[in-house]
Structures are given as C-alpha cells and as structure tokens.
C-alpha cells in the first residue's frame, strides 16, 4: 500500500506545495516591484514592506491553496496508513 499511486501523488503534492510556500517571499518582491513601476496598487501607493504583499494581496489566495494542499496530503497519508494497519484498502 505504501507504493500506491495515490500516496505518491500525495507526497509529490506536499513537496511541491512546500516549495511553493518557500518561494512566496520572492513573488512578493516581484509584485512589489511591479506595483512600484506601474503605480497600480490599492490604497495610497505600494507597500514598503514586501511581506505585506503575502498577507494583504492576491498572494494570500496562493498561500491558502498551498496550505490546503499540504494539509490534504498529510490527512490522506495518515488515512492511508490507518487503512493499511486496519487491513483494508483505499
């Protein structure tokens, strides 16, 4: 059961989502630069702190999706392990 295709997909999803979470600060700097060059941002100008772009901009949706992916993958792996111990199949 450990080599089930679903378990491999769950592990791959977790790894890619953690990588995506680790690149969010880079994307926040990119969005900050684009906002400063174009002058397009809500409010009275662009944020001076790039970390605010992660929690107060469209990047928050990416953050939420990646966190849900990690949690769903972990829950699936725990469920698969529980099913394996119980003797059933997924």
């Amino acid at each position: 059961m450990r080599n089930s295709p679903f378990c491999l997909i769950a592990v791959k999803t977790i790894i890619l989502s953690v990588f995506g979470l680790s690149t969010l600060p880079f994307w926040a700097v990119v969005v900050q630069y684009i906002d400063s060059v174009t002058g397009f941002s809500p409010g009275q100008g662009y944020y001076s702190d790039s970390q605010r772009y992660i929690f107060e901009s469209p990047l928050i949706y990416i953050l939420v999706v990646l966190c849900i992916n990690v949690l769903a993958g972990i829950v699936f792996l725990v469920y698969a392990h529980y099913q394996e111990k119980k003797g059933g199949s997924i």
Side-chain angles (χ1 to χ4, degrees):
M1 185 59 78
R2 286 189 191 270
N3 293 331
S4 166
F6 295 119
C7 290
L8 294 176
I9 290 172
V11 169
K12 186 171 77 168
T13 300
I14 292 170
I15 291 171
L16 290 175
S17 295
V18 168
F19 175 74
L21 287 171
S22 68
T23 61
L24 273 181
F26 168 74
W27 292 114
V29 171
V30 169
V31 171
Q32 180 184 19
Y33 177 74
I34 291 171
D35 278 353
S36 68
V37 169
T38 61
F40 177 76
S41 67
Q44 295 158 292
Y46 62 93
Y47 301 124
S48 59
D49 181 20
S50 64
Q51 294 299 319
R52 291 187 66 177
Y53 279 90
I54 294 175
F55 299 108
E56 297 181 12
S57 74
L59 291 180
I60 188 74
Y61 302 116
I62 296 171
L63 176 74
V64 169
V65 168
L66 292 174
C67 287
I68 289 172
N69 281 344
V70 170
L71 289 175
I74 290 172
V75 166
F76 180 78
L77 289 175
V78 168
Y79 175 74
H81 181 71
Y82 173 75
Q83 285 295 101
E84 182 179 330
K85 281 198 174 234
K86 190 173 155 183
S89 63
I90 297 179

